[in-house]
Amino acid sequence: MREIGCGPHGCLELLSKRVGPSGSVVGVERSQDAVDLARKMIVERGLNNVEVLCGDARSTELPPASFDLATARLVLVNVPEPEQIVAEAVALAKPGGYVAFHEADWVAHICDPPSDAWSALVELFVRYSEQNGIDPFVGRKLPRLLRDGGLEDVRVNPLIHVYPPGNPRRSILLDFAENLTERMLAQNLIGEAELAELKTTLRRHVEDPGTLVVSHLWIQAWGRQPV
Ligand SMILES: C[S@@+](CC[C@H](N)C(=O)[O-])C[C@H]1O[C@@H](n2cnc3c(N)ncnc32)[C@H](O)[C@@H]1O
């Protein structure tokens, strides 16, 4: 099995358990820092059937048609031209093998009571994504990307969660805003003082236990490589 854009942990441990001692898992990740962390995790957890390679998911240089499963989680929502990664995943799956993705779609990420700061930060994130060729609504397109990539029997499983008080994902919009602050300021998408005020207001809102926070829409889709 192969995980694309596995990051420092991803699904490597799950896949390792799934294939068992006689199987093997290959992670491919472009960030050398994430590769180093993933390799450390593999050693610490004794995942002897897993290896992680530093490489580009669009062109892995792994042997084509050689994996029972090629999979990725939350990678397409971060890259321009996601069809390139889908094409490589399809090429790596054996005839009759599977390709499976888990992706985000920002359509469902809402809160209640409504918050102007929440709406402004979502709108800012969407503008940042558009300006950088990234599609925050790629989740809904996933089944089509898999069919267009040549897979058969494409299935879809949508998921949505509520993040209750204490759940770290409650502040995910703020985490995005923090991570992207320098890039959004450099691209003149917003002024520093305005962004700081939005983040302070939103932090108060999500820390209020009475605020409902709904996750992104997660779309899981998978299909089979024709025999
Ligand atoms: C949001 S993280 C998800 C990590 C992991 N899949 C998980 O679910 O925990 C996206 C990861 O994809 C990696 N990535 C993005 N584009 C890539 C590419 N072209 N080739 C390899 N890795 C890539 C990033 O470096 C990052 O580690």
Side-chain angles (χ1 to χ4, degrees):
M1 294 197 187
R2 170 196 176 238
E3 182 178 359
I4 301 151
C6 58
H9 194 145
C11 305
L12 295 173
E13 196 168 5
L14 281 172
L15 294 170
S16 164
K17 291 198 174 114
R18 189 63 185 254
V19 300
S22 62
S24 66
V25 176
V26 181
V28 178
E29 167 57 52
R30 74 175 168 191
S31 147
Q32 186 61 55
D33 287 349
V35 169
D36 294 344
L37 287 168
R39 286 180 178 158
K40 189 163 169 275
M41 184 277 294
I42 287 166
V43 172
E44 283 168 0
R45 299 190 187 203
L47 308 180
N48 301 323
N49 54 2
V50 180
E51 67 173 316
V52 177
L53 309 174
C54 192
D56 188 336
R58 294 170 295 185
S59 136
T60 59
E61 295 173 16
L62 289 166
S66 60
F67 290 86
D68 295 312
L69 171 73
T71 187
R73 184 176 70 178
L74 300 179
V75 177
L76 303 185
V77 73
N78 289 301
V79 297
E81 302 180 291
E83 60 282 353
Q84 294 179 344
I85 290 182
V86 172
E88 177 70 0
V90 172
L92 289 174
K94 285 178 182 169
Y98 282 84
V99 174
F101 283 81
H102 172 113
E103 279 304 332
D105 189 309
W106 277 66
V107 66
H109 197 35
I110 54 166
C111 69
D112 188 81
S115 150
D116 287 345
W118 178 288
S119 305
L121 281 170
V122 169
E123 201 255 330
L124 184 62
F125 179 77
V126 170
R127 263 193 297 136
Y128 169 83
S129 300
E130 283 167 1
Q131 194 153 306
N132 291 278
I134 297 166
D135 183 357
F137 306 105
V138 73
R140 70 190 69 175
K141 295 168 191 149
L142 189 51
R144 178 156 51 93
L145 282 167
L146 298 188
R147 280 195 307 273
D148 290 352
L151 297 175
E152 289 179 341
D153 195 18
V154 171
R155 312 277 179 97
V156 187
N157 182 40
L159 296 167
I160 193 159
H161 304 112
V162 165
Y163 298 138
N167 186 314
R169 290 195 156 259
R170 221 171 141 77
S171 61
I172 195 160
L173 181 55
L174 272 171
D175 299 340
F176 276 120
E178 292 294 355
N179 290 341
L180 294 174
T181 289
E182 273 181 32
R183 277 178 267 176
M184 292 192 299
L185 294 178
Q187 293 182 21
N188 292 318
L189 285 165
I190 191 167
E192 194 168 0
E194 189 187 354
L195 180 57
E197 195 180 321
L198 285 176
K199 287 194 281 191
T200 304
T201 309
L202 186 62
R203 185 168 305 284
R204 268 201 304 273
H205 194 55
V206 297
E207 281 175 356
D208 181 341
T211 300
L212 176 82
V213 177
V214 178
S215 74
H216 298 85
L217 170 64
W218 310 115
I219 298 278
Q220 297 178 331
W222 61 98
R224 207 179 48 236
Q225 175 72 281
V227 178

